[in-house]
Amino acid sequence: MGLFGKLRKKVLTDTTPIQLVVIAYLILIFITFFLLTLPIFYQKNAKPGWLDTFFLSVSSVSVTGLTTVPLQHVLNHWGIILLEFLFQVGGFGVTMLTTVMMILSGKKISLHQRQMIQVDMNQPRLSGTVRLSYSIFILMVMLQLMFGVIFSLYFSWQQGWTHLKSAFFNGFYISVTAVTNAGFDITGSSLAPYEHNYLFLLIVMLLIIIGGIGFPVLVEGYQWLMFKMHDHGRGVFRFSLFSKLAVFFALIFFISGALMIFLTEIKGQLASESWPQKIMTAMFYSASTRNAGLQLESLKHFQTATLLVFSLLMFIGASPSSVGGGVRTTTVGILLLYLAAFIRGRRHVNIFGRRIGDDDIQKAIVVTNLSILLCLTAVLILSVTEKYSLVSLIFEVTAAFGTTGLSLGITAGLSLVGKWVIICLMFIGRVGMLYLLLLFVSKKEQDFNYRYPSEKVIIG
């Protein structure tokens, strides 16, 4: 065994799967940074500085969408195509794409690689992770291709068939950025030209929700559909508790978010709009703020209360095991269920005929509290180093942590410290707070095999 083989064996022996996944993302960021330093991806004399390039690298790998430079004036068509490729890598995960390539090449996937897939996709069990990765990849790629063609044909019909090339370029970009929840704006107007095209916006919202609902939910949905087509009523299909919770809380946060946006803007931005436009705007931003980062107009026109609602939705983010970031819907949902059970005097959290484990409740409490502490610390640092309003800083921090490409226009004007704070938040938002904590736990560290006597403490 050579030096490289010995080094590889030592790394695999001493490093946990979580640490390997985080290292893989760091390596991917630096590879992306190298690619983005090449002048082939930029317009003439438009190449940004190294920090702005690194910022763009982290933002693209984490599928956030925040940029310090106007992409429509910086990147050329090759640069935008590179971004679309990076959306796939960042959204699906580096281990999923590696797994797909190994399956296509006929290579055997080792136990350690399966453990990395399990960690990267946040799966509770090791079995079925390879099949899950392959199924999700095929499903998501087919969605992007299908709606890319639909959007392209629509743009061609709308703009005239002489603009076929431009229509296909923009159609596939919107399809990719919606499915992967990447909020990069390459036109300077995002989806503003289509704010009155309700069918188009509904389709985009559907793709955003599909990308953020969670990969296991999509696979179980497909399995349920196949079951209904071939079973003919002879059996019962059972969804996992995760899928039920992910769909339930995604629906709860979508409806409550739309309602709060509607109420806070009924006498503001929505006052002059028709009722269908009021409802569509509230629904669209409720979906987009939880991870996609697409917008219909300038966010500076919204009320302060609405911007805080946006910040809350961005902080919550998407479901686990999805293309999204944030503290995650099921995390907040389990915390709310625990609070409701505690207030009602119940010792256990029960839902859908199942009891949620104490370890999952503990994780939800820890992750939520530490995420709040992280964002508050970031806001505190930025309030010292930046000259912008507190609302703008809160909005920027939650957008970065939730990997949502929305901003009040302050990203480009951040100081050196401010940009590094946002870079760290984007990376943590993509990797996840729980995995960041477990990153520093080595294989040798184990729980104690004994317990101390318990004693009551006065609380409250």
Side-chain angles (χ1 to χ4, degrees):
M1 183 182 294
L3 180 62
F4 178 77
K6 292 180 180 180
L7 181 62
R8 180 177 178 273
K9 184 178 179 180
K10 180 174 177 57
V11 170
L12 293 177
T13 302
D14 299 340
T15 309
T16 65
I18 290 177
Q19 291 169 338
L20 287 176
V21 168
V22 174
I23 291 171
Y25 276 107
L26 287 173
I27 293 174
L28 178 61
I29 286 173
F30 283 104
I31 293 175
T32 303
F33 173 68
F34 169 75
L35 291 174
L36 288 174
T37 58
L38 303 177
I40 188 178
F41 299 115
Y42 297 96
Q43 300 178 25
K44 189 176 181 180
N45 299 324
K47 188 174 179 300
W50 73 268
L51 181 56
D52 294 328
T53 303
F54 189 76
F55 192 102
L56 180 60
S57 303
V58 178
S59 185
S60 57
V61 170
S62 63
V63 285
T64 300
L66 293 175
T67 60
T68 56
V69 293
L71 297 183
Q72 67 272 21
H73 300 310
V74 175
L75 294 178
N76 57 22
H77 281 188
W78 289 112
I80 295 172
I81 292 173
L82 174 63
L83 283 185
E84 292 181 89
F85 173 76
L86 294 173
F87 297 163
Q88 312 295 330
V89 180
F92 295 147
V94 62
T95 57
M96 181 192 292
L97 294 182
T98 303
T99 301
V100 171
M101 288 189 291
M102 292 181 69
I103 291 175
L104 294 177
S105 62
K107 293 183 178 179
K108 186 178 180 181
I109 300 174
S110 66
L111 176 62
H112 205 84
Q113 290 166 335
R114 293 173 188 268
Q115 290 175 331
M116 287 185 64
I117 299 169
Q118 179 190 11
V119 168
D120 194 22
M121 298 187 66
N122 201 9
Q123 290 299 293
R125 295 182 299 272
L126 187 63
S127 61
T129 52
V130 174
R131 183 174 63 254
L132 179 65
S133 299
Y134 189 73
S135 301
I136 288 168
F137 178 79
I138 297 299
L139 178 62
M140 298 292 272
V141 169
M142 292 301 295
L143 278 173
Q144 294 178 55
L145 292 175
M146 181 176 68
F147 284 98
V149 171
I150 293 174
F151 289 157
S152 301
L153 293 176
Y154 167 72
F155 292 153
S156 300
W157 171 77
Q158 185 184 54
Q159 301 169 1
W161 296 103
T162 55
H163 299 84
L164 187 61
K165 182 178 178 181
S166 174
F168 268 81
F169 187 84
N170 292 326
F172 273 93
Y173 181 82
I174 291 178
S175 176
V176 170
T177 193
V179 172
T180 59
N181 283 197
F184 284 90
D185 181 14
I186 61 171
T187 63
S189 57
S190 193
L191 297 184
Y194 314 101
E195 61 177 333
H196 298 294
N197 191 328
Y198 301 148
L199 179 59
F200 177 81
L201 293 181
L202 284 173
I203 294 175
V204 172
M205 286 169 52
L206 175 64
L207 295 179
I208 291 171
I209 293 171
I210 288 174
I213 196 66
F215 298 143
V217 179
L218 298 178
V219 173
E220 287 191 30
Y222 175 76
Q223 292 172 346
W224 173 81
L225 184 62
M226 294 296 101
F227 177 83
K228 287 295 182 182
M229 291 175 61
H230 299 100
D231 181 71
H232 305 296
R234 291 191 297 270
V236 178
F237 185 90
R238 297 188 182 278
F239 287 96
S240 66
L241 180 60
F242 169 78
S243 293
K244 292 178 181 179
L245 289 176
V247 173
F248 176 72
F249 285 116
L251 186 62
I252 291 294
F253 292 135
F254 173 74
I255 295 174
S256 58
L259 183 61
M260 287 189 292
I261 294 169
F262 180 83
L263 293 176
T264 54
E265 283 298 324
I266 190 65
K267 294 184 178 179
Q269 182 76 359
L270 303 180
S272 60
E273 301 286 353
S274 63
W275 276 97
Q277 185 64 30
K278 294 180 199 290
I279 296 173
M280 177 56 67
T281 301
M283 290 172 56
F284 182 84
Y285 278 108
S286 180
S288 184
T289 50
R290 283 200 303 106
N291 213 241
L294 300 173
Q295 59 191 79
L296 303 177
E297 62 272 299
S298 175
L299 300 178
K300 296 178 181 179
H301 299 150
F302 285 99
Q303 307 283 342
T304 300
T306 309
L307 296 177
L308 292 177
V309 171
F310 286 174
S311 299
L312 176 62
L313 293 174
M314 290 188 293
F315 175 79
I316 294 173
S319 300
S321 300
S322 71
V323 299
V327 74
R328 308 300 202 274
T329 53
T330 53
T331 304
V332 178
I334 289 175
L335 180 61
L336 294 177
L337 290 174
Y338 173 72
L339 291 175
F342 182 82
I343 292 172
R344 297 167 67 181
R346 297 183 177 180
R347 295 178 57 120
H348 303 294
V349 178
N350 303 313
I351 188 171
F352 298 124
R354 293 290 186 272
R355 182 174 69 86
I356 298 178
D358 293 338
D359 55 338
D360 290 329
I361 297 173
Q362 186 181 51
K363 289 177 184 177
I365 294 173
V366 171
V367 168
T368 304
N369 288 336
L370 287 179
S371 297
I372 294 173
L373 181 61
L374 173 69
C375 289
L376 287 177
T377 303
V379 170
L380 178 62
I381 295 173
L382 293 180
S383 64
V384 175
T385 61
E386 312 304 321
K387 59 183 182 297
Y388 302 105
S389 67
L390 182 61
V391 173
S392 298
L393 298 179
I394 294 174
F395 196 91
E396 194 80 8
V397 165
T398 52
F401 180 73
T403 64
T404 307
L406 295 175
S407 176
L408 294 176
I410 71 171
T411 312
L414 292 174
S415 65
L416 179 67
V417 174
K419 290 179 181 179
W420 276 109
V421 169
I422 298 301
I423 286 173
C424 293
L425 286 171
M426 290 190 294
F427 181 76
I428 294 173
R430 177 61 185 91
V431 174
M433 178 59 73
L434 181 61
Y435 288 170
L436 182 71
L437 297 176
L438 297 177
L439 176 66
F440 303 101
V441 178
S442 67
K443 281 187 173 181
K444 298 178 180 179
E445 294 185 39
Q446 298 179 353
D447 197 5
F448 295 118
N449 293 322
Y450 56 87
R451 294 181 181 181
Y452 291 105
S454 62
E455 184 175 344
K456 292 290 185 180
V457 178
I458 299 175
I459 301 295

